[in-house]
Amino acid sequence: MSVTGPSANRAAEEVPGRFRFIDIGVNLTDPVFRGMYRGKRKHDDDLYAVLERSRAAGVKSMIITGGSLHESREALELAKQLGLYATVGCHPTRSKEFDTFKGGPDAYLNALDKLIEDNLKGKGRVVAVGECGLDYDRTHFAPEEVQKKYFRVQLSLAKKHHLPLFLHSRAAHPDFVQILREEGFGDDGGRPVGARGGVVHSFTGSVAEAEEYMSMGFHISVNGCSLKTEDNLIACKAIRPDKIMVETDAPWCSMTSTHASKKHLDALPTELRGLYFSSAVQPEKFVQGKSVKGRNEPAAIGGVAW
């Protein structure tokens, strides 16, 4: 995957505007940013335009999420081209890849380990281990026991390389925190065992869960999915300012008119609304320079922050 053009050169430059952001979780390797949807091309590659809109909206930098060994390699390659950052890890819904990998689970873990080791410095470097964790809403992709096993082994990478964790938890809080505690991450984000804390991203949990994460020394990141319901908003209010981060999780987790967040977004000044939520068209009616309906973009980070 390669990127050339003005966006590639200016992505990390100082950006104009009233506010500046770092999107700590964005899936720029997703094919939809190249016009591909479920293997079918619906429009031209418009990643350059997506990056330009994000820059105009004040996005100064981004962390590209790695959700598998293959995707982590792509994320690092793109991060190097754009002067951004990346994570390396295996998402819980893809954790069966450890078992199906040529050479087995040890070879998969070793490959993740080597990828981190080779990219700890310089442009486009690894800044976190993940996305890893547990997802009991989608056990049809990987059973609970498989998820737990390979979540635990990835924690060893954070200890070894002294990196933060980029964490995922869905409908699995008790097992999720139990594993973290058993592996030494229950106090100060795992710093006593060599780790560097981390962030529970795309938070959709309860007030009690938010308080437990913070007590363990972790940050919590919110996006559009974190702000769908009134209960979500109440939980987000419980996150202390020193522990909150923002992300888009683009192309997922868009903010829509049906979400509880709408009443807050309605107060956005017109000038900012245009920057964060540009006019959009259906993929089949794509026009260069417009965003695509249903596809979230890093420019929307300003809406999350608002």
Side-chain angles (χ1 to χ4, degrees):
M1 177 182 290
S2 62
V3 176
T4 56
S7 296
N9 296 326
R10 297 209 303 264
E13 288 181 8
E14 191 72 13
V15 293
R18 290 173 55 185
F19 303 104
R20 290 196 278 272
F21 307 100
I22 296 173
D23 190 343
I24 70 136
V26 59
N27 302 283
L28 286 185
T29 62
D30 196 289
V32 298
F33 290 118
R34 305 291 184 152
M36 298 294 294
Y37 297 74
R38 297 183 180 180
K40 181 180 179 182
R41 178 165 295 283
K42 291 193 175 182
H43 59 77
D44 294 339
D45 181 332
D46 68 330
L47 181 59
Y48 307 144
V50 169
L51 294 171
E52 285 295 315
R53 283 191 289 273
S54 73
R55 184 174 179 276
V59 181
K60 186 176 180 181
S61 191
M62 308 179 208
I63 301 175
I64 306 173
T65 306
S68 66
L69 176 59
H70 173 75
E71 193 175 275
S72 295
R73 287 171 175 154
E74 286 192 335
L76 282 166
E77 179 185 340
L78 197 54
K80 282 177 168 52
Q81 292 177 38
L82 299 175
L84 303 175
Y85 305 94
T87 73
V88 169
C90 184
H91 192 283
T93 61
R94 302 182 196 175
S95 52
K96 286 174 70 174
E97 289 187 13
F98 278 87
D99 291 324
T100 59
F101 191 67
K102 184 178 180 180
D106 288 345
Y108 194 96
L109 183 65
N110 289 339
L112 290 174
D113 187 10
K114 184 69 162 55
L115 194 59
I116 293 170
E117 186 176 330
D118 291 346
N119 291 279
L120 285 171
K121 296 179 181 179
K123 186 179 177 181
R125 65 185 181 274
V126 179
V127 293
V129 172
E131 180 174 358
C132 60
L134 301 176
D135 191 323
Y136 290 177
D137 277 343
R138 293 180 281 180
T139 53
H140 53 287
F141 289 119
E144 291 180 10
E145 291 307 311
V146 171
Q147 292 189 30
K148 289 191 286 187
K149 179 179 180 180
Y150 297 120
F151 174 35
R152 195 181 294 270
V153 300
Q154 289 183 80
L155 297 179
S156 67
L157 299 174
K159 300 175 191 176
K160 176 179 178 179
H161 296 290
H162 312 299
L163 285 171
L165 290 163
F166 189 74
L167 294 163
H168 174 105
S169 179
R170 284 286 180 275
H173 183 77
D175 285 350
F176 180 69
V177 295
Q178 180 181 342
I179 289 173
L180 285 169
R181 292 185 186 279
E182 288 175 355
E183 294 298 324
F185 290 83
D187 180 35
D188 199 17
R191 286 172 179 81
V193 294
R196 294 285 177 86
V199 58
V200 181
H201 103 106
S202 196
F203 175 71
T204 57
S206 65
V207 170
E209 289 172 6
E211 290 175 343
E212 184 166 14
Y213 295 145
M214 291 186 290
S215 73
M216 294 169 67
F218 288 101
H219 287 74
I220 300 170
S221 181
V222 299
N223 57 36
C225 289
S226 310
L227 307 167
K228 282 184 177 182
T229 69
E230 290 298 333
D231 284 345
N232 289 154
L233 297 183
I234 291 169
C236 285
K237 286 181 182 179
I239 306 171
R240 299 198 309 268
D242 64 309
K243 290 297 185 183
I244 197 166
M245 292 183 171
V246 289
E247 61 176 275
T248 59
D249 205 28
W252 318 113
C253 294
S254 299
M255 307 177 83
T256 76
S257 60
T258 63
H259 293 178
S261 57
K262 181 181 183 298
K263 62 187 178 186
H264 298 291
L265 291 180
D266 283 346
L268 260 175
T270 302
E271 62 184 281
L272 295 181
R273 179 179 298 278
L275 290 175
Y276 303 154
F277 304 104
S278 60
S279 60
V281 296
Q282 295 292 345
E284 296 81 2
K285 298 180 180 179
F286 176 74
V287 176
Q288 195 64 248
K290 288 187 177 291
S291 55
V292 177
K293 284 186 177 179
R295 185 189 70 179
N296 199 10
E297 293 191 3
I301 192 79
V304 176
W306 183 270

